[in-house]
Structures are given as structure tokens and as C-alpha cells.
Amino acid sequence: MELILEKWEEILKTVKEEYDVADVAFNSWLRPLQVYTIVDSTLYILITSEQVLISYIKKRFTIPLKVVIAEITGTEYEIEFISKDQTADIRPHKKEKESNILPPKHTSLNPNYVFDTFVVGKNNSFAHAACLAVADSPGEVYNPLYIYGGPGLGKTHLMQSIGHFILKQKPDKKVLYVTSEQFTNEVIDSIRNGNASAMNKLREKYRTVDVLMIDDVQFIIGKESTQEEFFHTFNVLHSAGKQIVLSSDKPPKDMETLEERIRSRFEWGLLADVGYPDYETRMAILRRKEEIDGFLLDDSILDYIATNIKSNVRELEGALNKLLALSNLEHKHITMEVAVQELQNIISPDKPREVTPQLVIEIVAEHFNISTDQMISKTRSNDIARPRQIAMYLCKDMTAAPLDTIGALLGGRDHSTIIYGIKKVTDEYKKDENFHHLIETIKKKINPN
């Protein structure tokens, strides 16, 4: 076991070289894999990325890994891939229980959001270049970096790519990525506790980092206590030469209620706009996703998607995801006729986008940085159950889908479970202002119009 752990990086790089794995596929599929344990000559490998299909990983990498591990270690193992949800079913070797599991670092960063998987086009080349410069020299250029643009255009992807790049170059750096509602929640909790130690703990968390990234910063505007805490945190970090990266849906000058002292600080560094992708960029995004997913479609189908979905990268990828799921789950051959039929609720040139339960589930999952597979799983942990109940509520609130349909889409849950989830979220929405804000934020992501 120790030998495999010691040689793991060499094993992955050897697979990459000997089996001609492209850089983007290596970073998306192989690099996130972690050794979990060995039981009875079977090596269990943990898939840490929640976006990955285990079936694809098995098909693509079982034999290469088995061969390379045998060559490098001199021992042949059977290979099994497992998700985080399956680890409870595997018993690690007693002597190595503590050392076998390699916990992922900085789990708030999505492992798929790296520069290698970001498609650069005319709409985002300036923002991409700015992010690379900041990642290469954090705190030295463009501080703060303020990325702005409409929903689903890649702001979060770029922001988190900075974090991954810095941690890869300098693993000892303290990088913190949070959404605005997370920051707001923590400020509110500290105030509710009503003691100095709670506030000191909050400040120690946010003011001792090397890089602070806050997503959707526009949502802290108008919240007096949160805004005040952010203002002083910004000043402390900026004065210490620490890097600050912010994202928003609009430039500072368009925020009518933004205090001048905060507006001026937003504009101290560099403002980088992420615009709508042109046709060529949209096609490149679809082809890159095809490569990552190991899924090939006729160019005419890609052209159909790229021609009709123009303003949102998330929708582009969502359309491809739907066809991928159809192919994998129903073993359907994807023709143009099938694509047009299946994407009619997503692609309709003459109508606004229809909000469907599936769209709601996907965006809620993305918001909480979990996979749709986790949403429909039997997992009952709060970090999965809470988003699942929010999805139930929003499906009922934003679509005309009956409760049975919502339950079926969320893993076959029964009528009473859906009613309970909706009631729980409804009660909290009415009583808790902060939770009310969270729901409204997700609603805007689902339907920006």
C-alpha cells in the first residue's frame, strides 16, 4: 500500500504518456483519482470528482492502471473504482485505516474548474488573461480582480481556476473561495452568537488568507453588517498585499445602491468582462465537453445546439449532458431527429427558455457544488438532503410538474417525502431572511429574465 501511495503520481503520469491521454482528459479524469485502500488483492480507487461517471472511468482506465501499477510496483491488483458514497461499504485494512485515505484538499473548489478545461474565445480572452496573470503573481498585479458578466458564462470557472493554479504552484498558500451567501451566513451567525470570540473566529478565517475569492458579491450589497465586515476585511487583506478576487453580474458603476467607499475599492484593481460566446466559441465548448465526457456526436447536432443556445455556457453544456444521459441510460443512438425531440424544452428559437424540473435540479446541484447523482441518491446527510429539499420546493414553485414527477426525478421519492420537503423549505423561507435570500439567489440563476 505504501509503495502505491509513494508511486501514485508516477503511475498516473505513466498512464498519461503510454496511453496517449490528452492534458484536459488527464486533469479531468486521472488527476482527481485517489488511492483509497487494498482489500484481498483489490485496489480501491476513490473518484473525488462528483461530476464523473464511474462507468466511463472503468471503461477508459481500468486496464491502463492495472498494467502500469503491475509494472511499477511488481504486484498485480484487481482495480475497483468507488465514489465517496460507496466508501462506507469498503473496509480499509486495519493497520492502514488512518493513512490510506487521502482527503481532497480545499473541497470548496470544484476539481473540474481549472484553466485547462476553460474554453477561451473572443468573449472572455481578456478575463482569462487577467486571471492567469493574477494566478501567476497573486497580490502583485490587478488587486482586486473584479470579474463580471451574465449568469452561466464562466465567471465561477475562471475564479476557481485561479485557486487551483495557485495551490498547484504553492500548496502552502491559504486560498479561500466562498459564495456571497456563505459569507453573509457566517457574519449573521457571528452576530447572533453575540460574543467577541465568534466574531474573532470569523475574522481570523477571512483575514489571514493569502487569496480570498467571493462569488456573486452583488448579493452582499444593502446588507449593512455584512457590507461593513466585507469592507474591513477587504482593507486588511489589500493592505497586506493579499489577493482579492470578486465576481458579480454587473460592473460597480451599475450597482445603484453600492456605497461609494466600496465602489472605489472594487475599481482599484482591474475590471474584467466575460461576454456572450460567439458561434465558434460555443462549438469549441461543445467539442471540449465531448472530449472530456468521451462522447461523440455528429457535427450537425453540435451545430444545432451552438446555433440555438447563444447566451449561456451552462445551457450549452446542459443540452449535451441531456443527450449523454439519454445515450448512457437508455442506450439510444443520438440522431438529429432524437436531438431535436429531446432538446425541445431547452432549444426553442421563438420562445423563452422553459424552466423544467430537470433544469431546477441541475442548477440547485451546481449552486451547492454537488452532483445531480448525489441529489437523486439515497444519501441523507444534511449537505445533500438540504439542497434536495430546496430542489423539491423550487420545482413546485417554478414549474407545473406534479409532485409524483418531481419525486421520480429526485430518485423515485414518494409523494409524502416531497410534501414534507416542500413544507420544510416553505416554513424556513417565511421565517429566515437569510434563507429567503438564498432561495431568491438560486431562482435568479434558474431564470435570470
Side-chain angles (χ1 to χ4, degrees):
M1 182 71 185
E2 289 89 347
L3 182 60
I4 293 178
L5 289 171
E6 180 186 335
K7 299 286 188 181
W8 188 240
E9 190 67 25
E10 180 186 345
I11 289 167
L12 294 181
K13 288 182 178 178
T14 303
V15 171
K16 178 182 186 301
E17 293 167 4
E18 293 189 0
Y19 291 86
D20 196 26
V21 180
D23 287 345
V24 65
F26 177 76
N27 289 324
S28 299
W29 302 124
L30 280 175
R31 188 173 290 283
L33 297 179
Q34 295 181 2
V35 175
Y36 182 68
T37 191
I38 295 174
V39 178
D40 299 331
S41 299
T42 298
L43 173 64
Y44 290 90
I45 298 175
L46 180 63
I47 298 179
T48 60
S49 171
E50 305 296 354
Q51 308 296 324
V52 172
L53 287 172
I54 290 183
S55 58
Y56 176 75
I57 288 284
K58 283 181 178 177
K59 182 178 178 181
R60 179 75 171 84
F61 294 115
T62 296
I63 292 176
L65 279 168
K66 186 174 181 178
V67 171
V68 171
I69 289 171
E71 288 175 352
I72 291 178
T73 68
T75 304
E76 187 170 320
Y77 297 95
E78 294 302 317
I79 304 294
E80 287 289 341
F81 295 97
I82 57 172
S83 66
K84 292 176 185 176
D85 290 342
Q86 295 171 307
T87 55
D89 300 325
I90 310 299
R91 278 193 311 152
H93 193 281
K94 283 186 178 181
K95 291 182 179 178
E96 300 175 0
K97 187 171 183 179
E98 297 301 322
S99 61
N100 285 351
I101 304 172
L102 302 179
K105 292 176 64 178
H106 306 280
T107 52
S108 61
L109 295 178
N110 186 323
N112 295 318
Y113 286 172
V114 293
F115 285 121
D116 285 346
T117 61
F118 187 83
V119 177
V120 182
K122 293 178 183 177
N123 63 306
N124 57 31
S125 58
F126 177 74
H128 178 263
C131 289
L132 274 175
V134 165
D136 193 49
S137 303
E140 297 177 22
V141 294
Y142 312 138
N143 197 18
L145 175 62
Y146 184 101
I147 310 166
Y148 69 94
L153 294 178
K155 302 186 298 297
T156 300
H157 191 148
L158 277 175
M159 176 181 279
Q160 293 199 20
S161 295
I162 294 173
H164 281 298
F165 188 96
I166 292 171
L167 289 171
K168 184 178 179 182
Q169 304 301 316
K170 299 177 180 178
D172 59 326
K173 289 288 186 183
K174 293 175 68 176
V175 175
L176 179 59
Y177 165 85
V178 294
T179 60
S180 61
E181 63 260 26
Q182 183 180 338
F183 181 74
T184 302
N185 288 346
E186 293 184 29
V187 171
I188 290 172
D189 288 344
S190 298
I191 293 171
R192 280 177 180 165
N193 286 333
N195 57 64
S197 64
M199 189 56 73
N200 287 338
K201 187 176 180 181
L202 174 80
R203 289 170 181 167
E204 182 180 355
K205 174 181 177 178
Y206 283 95
R207 300 185 188 184
T208 60
V209 297
D210 297 299
V211 182
L212 175 62
M213 302 182 286
I214 300 183
D215 215 347
D216 288 324
V217 74
Q218 72 271 14
F219 291 120
I220 71 170
I221 307 308
K223 298 176 174 61
E224 291 184 11
S225 298
T226 305
Q227 197 168 275
E228 189 69 20
E229 190 61 33
F230 169 78
F231 175 76
H232 293 297
T233 297
F234 182 104
N235 288 343
V236 169
L237 291 175
H238 196 274
S239 298
K242 306 302 184 182
Q243 182 66 50
I244 301 164
V245 184
L246 308 168
S247 83
S248 176
D249 62 347
K250 62 188 72 172
K253 66 182 178 61
D254 289 348
M255 294 184 182
E256 297 177 2
T257 59
L258 182 60
E259 290 183 14
E260 185 55 40
R261 61 176 182 159
I262 296 181
R263 188 195 314 276
S264 66
R265 280 161 176 76
F266 284 171
E267 295 174 344
W268 276 356
L270 180 69
L271 306 181
D273 178 20
V274 179
Y276 296 116
D278 58 18
Y279 172 80
E280 289 76 15
T281 304
R282 298 196 297 273
M283 283 293 285
I285 289 168
L286 292 171
R287 287 194 171 116
R288 172 67 62 83
K289 183 158 179 59
E290 267 195 319
E291 179 184 357
I292 291 173
D293 290 340
F295 181 49
L296 292 178
L297 286 176
D298 190 272
D299 279 354
S300 62
I301 297 174
L302 298 184
D303 172 76
Y304 173 71
I305 296 172
T307 299
N308 289 289
I309 300 178
K310 301 179 180 179
S311 61
N312 194 307
V313 174
R314 187 185 296 122
E315 287 186 11
L316 273 177
E317 295 182 342
L320 209 58
N321 281 338
K322 184 166 186 180
L323 297 182
L324 172 61
L326 193 68
S327 174
N328 284 341
L329 300 177
E330 297 186 16
H331 308 292
K332 232 180 212 182
H333 176 58
I334 307 300
T335 64
M336 176 61 82
E337 291 73 25
V338 170
V340 171
Q341 173 66 29
E342 293 298 327
L343 300 179
Q344 60 182 327
N345 290 332
I346 301 173
I347 295 176
S348 185
D350 301 321
K351 297 179 183 177
R353 177 180 70 174
E354 180 185 353
V355 176
T356 65
Q358 187 62 39
L359 176 68
V360 170
I361 292 166
E362 288 173 1
I363 291 181
V364 171
E366 181 185 78
H367 181 87
F368 287 99
N369 202 23
I370 62 177
S371 69
T372 52
D373 286 344
Q374 285 177 299
M375 289 278 277
I376 66 176
S377 72
K378 301 301 181 185
T379 303
R380 295 183 180 180
S381 60
N382 190 54
D383 56 344
I384 304 298
R386 181 177 168 86
R388 186 186 293 132
Q389 289 174 339
I390 289 173
M392 293 173 187
Y393 170 84
L394 291 173
C395 284
K396 181 70 172 70
D397 184 65
M398 301 183 73
T399 78
L403 298 184
D404 290 343
T405 299
I406 297 170
L409 289 170
L410 283 167
R413 285 174 164 79
D414 60 33
H415 192 267
S416 60
T417 301
I418 302 301
I419 291 175
Y420 173 78
I422 292 171
K423 183 179 185 306
K424 187 174 180 182
V425 173
T426 301
D427 291 344
E428 192 172 356
Y429 179 81
K430 291 176 181 176
K431 295 174 183 176
D432 189 325
E433 181 182 348
N434 192 52
F435 187 72
H436 181 103
H437 162 70
L438 168 65
I439 297 298
E440 292 303 315
T441 298
I442 299 173
K443 278 185 175 182
K444 286 182 181 179
K445 288 186 176 182
I446 295 168
N447 190 8
N449 298 325

